[in-house]
Amino acid sequence: MVSGDVMRRAEALAARLTAAGWLTSGAVRSALRDVPRHAFVPPLAWTGEGDRVAEADDPQRWLDLAYADEAIITQLDDGATDAATGDGRYTSSLSAPSTVVSLLELLDLEDGHRVLDIGTGNGWTAALLARIVGPGNVTSVEVDPAVAERASATLTSLGSPPALVVGDGADGWAPGAPYDRVHATCAVAEIPYAWIEQTRPGGVIVTPYAPGFGSGHELRLVVLPDGTAVGRFTGYASYMMMRSHRHPEWNPAPLAVRRSTTEIDPRTLGYAPAGADLAMGAALPGVQARGHHDGDTYTLRLWSPHAWATATYRPGRTVFDVEQAGDHPLWDHATTAYFQWITQGSPGRDHYTLTVTPEDEHVRLHRPTNTTTPR
Ligand SMILES: C[S@@+](CC[C@H](N)C(=O)[O-])C[C@H]1O[C@@H](n2cnc3c(N)ncnc32)[C@H](O)[C@@H]1O
């Protein structure tokens, strides 16, 4: 039974998300009001900023957090570190309501749609989906057995739980296929082809996509009758990575280093907008790019299994040190791709498409053809 106080908090959260432009769908709004988010928050949780919030110590603060537009961290280091310490890599959470709503709206859910949900976590998004399309139409997959067990207990206590599966979401869940919708709340570095195989033609896949070069993206794909999928990048997304898709750490191989200088400020590439990340990532497949701050110094790091590069900004300098090692000059390639992106008119992320086939996937600049007949 949802109390009046909780109902008011859920209404207020829905109103805030509507005012901010995140929430436009009536079905998603109803689900947000009907599913009590606090039921999925463990008694001891952490904010994304690392603040400890315990229900026993401060029940009002804990309830405020449950109905705030904030991610709530619920697992560290895949469970290897006690969540009570609050000190470790975030590996499971309730995602922030604005990002959850954004992905749910991209699904364009209809009554009776069969949905595959990847990354059950605490079960909140599975419950929202079940509320919209019916619990019998939702299958949710979680890789971590302890996390899945807690979600199962919560969903069962609320009645009519969706089907929960413990497994690797990269494999989808073939016994429940075909699906109308696939919804992931862990980020992938590439699209698992099983998701496409298990989705009917015209079906939709919505996922956070983080190929490793700069920022992460919200991605909406449509599955075509020929077994490929094509889609667009619809916004920014910062999600925990799917376990098997985690990016390698910066660990430069001991290779012969070529030193040079550049007049290009490394921050020009490092702070470039998402469209540039997509363009550079497409030109440098398999290459990771991340900025590293050390006091006032900023280093752009680029690396792949066989090469690495750094370009370092230091205050007061007008030329910047570059180091490149391995079989490809990654800084040179990245700058070429960056200035080509400038030449193309600095297209935003919404100007790129992703095409996924059984063999591979490609990010391309979308060039609309002018099919209007002149009168
Ligand atoms: C951000 S949390 C999910 C948020 C959640 N859906 C909610 O209700 O807000 C990401 C979850 O994905 C799970 N995960 C990571 N890799 C996975 C994989 N290969 N298959 C299924 N789940 C995975 C993590 O264990 C974690 O619980």
Side-chain angles (χ1 to χ4, degrees), residues 115-339:
V115 184
L116 177 64
D117 178 52
I118 308 291
T120 313
N122 296 275
W124 181 50
T125 51
L128 293 169
L129 287 165
R131 181 75 201 168
I132 298 169
V133 296
N137 289 322
V138 179
T139 303
S140 187
V141 185
E142 168 60 49
V143 74
D144 189 301
V147 170
E149 195 179 319
R150 208 173 52 230
S152 173
T154 308
L155 289 162
T156 303
S157 74
L158 294 173
S160 309
L164 297 188
V165 174
V166 178
D168 186 350
D171 299 331
W173 179 244
Y179 301 100
D180 299 282
R181 300 290 185 262
V182 175
H183 169 253
T185 53
C186 48
V188 291
E190 62 205 6
I191 303 302
Y193 190 69
W195 296 1
I196 295 170
E197 286 179 307
Q198 295 171 22
T199 302
R200 70 173 80 252
V204 172
I205 297 170
V206 171
T207 185
Y209 178 79
F213 203 108
S215 65
H217 315 272
E218 228 179 39
L219 172 66
R220 182 183 194 274
L221 290 167
V222 178
V223 174
L224 306 183
D226 66 0
T228 64
V230 181
R232 304 286 285 256
F233 302 97
T234 52
Y236 171 72
S238 170
Y239 271 78
M240 294 162 187
M241 294 301 293
M242 178 175 268
R243 281 193 187 176
S244 50
H245 286 210
R246 284 177 184 156
H247 300 302
E249 297 292 330
W250 166 250
N251 183 18
L255 300 164
V257 179
R258 300 179 295 281
R259 294 192 169 80
S260 60
T261 57
T262 178
E263 290 184 353
I264 302 166
D265 184 333
R267 297 172 302 177
T268 306
L269 273 68
Y271 296 176
D277 286 344
L278 284 170
M280 290 188 281
L284 285 83
V287 174
Q288 309 289 311
R290 218 102 69 238
H292 176 76
H293 291 271
D294 182 7
D296 290 343
T297 300
Y298 171 85
T299 301
L300 178 64
R301 293 169 167 174
L302 304 163
W303 71 103
S304 73
H306 310 294
W308 59 264
T310 60
T312 301
Y313 161 84
R314 290 190 177 81
R317 298 273 296 271
T318 53
V319 293
F320 307 99
D321 295 329
V322 174
E323 294 189 335
Q324 302 190 84
D327 54 5
H328 286 94
L330 297 183
W331 167 255
D332 296 350
H333 288 340
T335 54
T336 301
Y338 173 79
F339 286 110

Side-chain angles (χ1 to χ4, degrees), residues 6 96 124 161 180 225 237 349 352 357:
V6 163
W124 181 50
D180 299 282
R349 62 152 67 89
Y352 288 86
T357 71

